[in-house]
Amino acid sequence: MKNFTSIEDIDDLQSMIKTALQIKENPLTEPNKGKGKTIGLVFLNSSLRTRLSSQIAAQNLGLNVLILNASQEAWNLEFADGAVMNAGTVEHVKDAVEVLNQYCDIIAVRCFAGMQNKKDDVTESILSQFIKYAKVPVISLESASKHPLQSFADCITITENWKENHKPKVVLTWAPHIKPIAHAVANSFAEWMQSMEADFVIANPEGYDLDPNFVKNTTVLHDQNEAIKDADFVYVKNWSSFVDYAAMPEVKENWMLTKEKLIATKNAKIMHCLPVRRNVELSDEVMDSENSIIYQQAKNRIFSAQAVFSKIIEELPI
């Protein structure tokens, strides 16, 4: 595992889930595995779960942890090749990453979608440059189009909560929001579910279909009630339009997930990556119900990160 930016960097998902669950049983079994090595956690955007879970995971392995809030504490970065830097940017990304190469054995970076230029976001204009200039492994802590550590944690959580001998029905349902939200979580969840033993369905209003490169052959329904019927897991998440990029087409139906809607499910477990806008995306009674496994997802962010960090460490030069 040279880098970790998507499910494509994992050879065997079930094996990795098994490893993560073993780590969860005793997170401190390898406290010196990363001794003498440094991981740089670079945040170009806000973070709560990713920041804390990554730091805990790294510390559990004995890694030295450097945290850089690049959008607040570092020089304004320039990402354009050949830029004449006579305006607001102070340091080019190639120089910043080269310095990180000197300090770190692993670089982990979080960079949201700009939501302004579709091509830049789809082609991962920021993450790709970190990978281009890095001489050490690069881990995505979320990028413009994917959030692999979140999706890995989601797979761990579903595995923990499914003990039947048949495939669960897992529904990813769009939810309302007050502003345009990027596609990274939804894209990744779709990508990872296609590698799980699950009957996977996506539900979203007309005008909100995700990137076909992530949806592939997944069933997409534009009726939420039809989609969640007999569901075992319902994952709630908002995203903006992909075709009319970052737009928010009007939705007349009520897509907020409520307790009443869940009657049609098979007593479904409720999932969300957080942060959640209560009583907009889902109701308090759903969020706080016994069926909610949302905080379990959040805890499993530690173990998805630790499993990946551990694998990366094994590939580092001694």
Side-chain angles (χ1 to χ4, degrees), residues 35 45 55 57 129 133 158 168 189 197 217 236 290 311:
K35 185 177 180 179
N45 303 98
Q55 187 171 1
Q129 291 195 66
Y133 299 118
I158 290 172
F189 189 69
E197 287 291 322
N217 295 322
V236 181
E290 291 183 356
K311 189 72 172 176

Side-chain angles (χ1 to χ4, degrees), residues 17 24 29-30 60 71 78 85 100-101 107 118 138 143 170 173 187 194 199 206 224 226 257 281 287 299 316:
I17 292 173
K24 186 173 183 177
T29 54
E30 298 181 297
N60 286 347
S71 62
E78 175 62 59
M85 294 172 54
L100 289 171
N101 287 331
I107 299 171
K118 183 176 182 177
V138 173
S143 66
V170 181
T173 179
N187 285 345
Q194 290 155 12
D199 176 12
E206 297 280 357
Q224 186 185 48
E226 179 185 356
L257 192 67
E281 296 177 77
M287 180 74 187
K299 183 172 184 178
L316 293 177

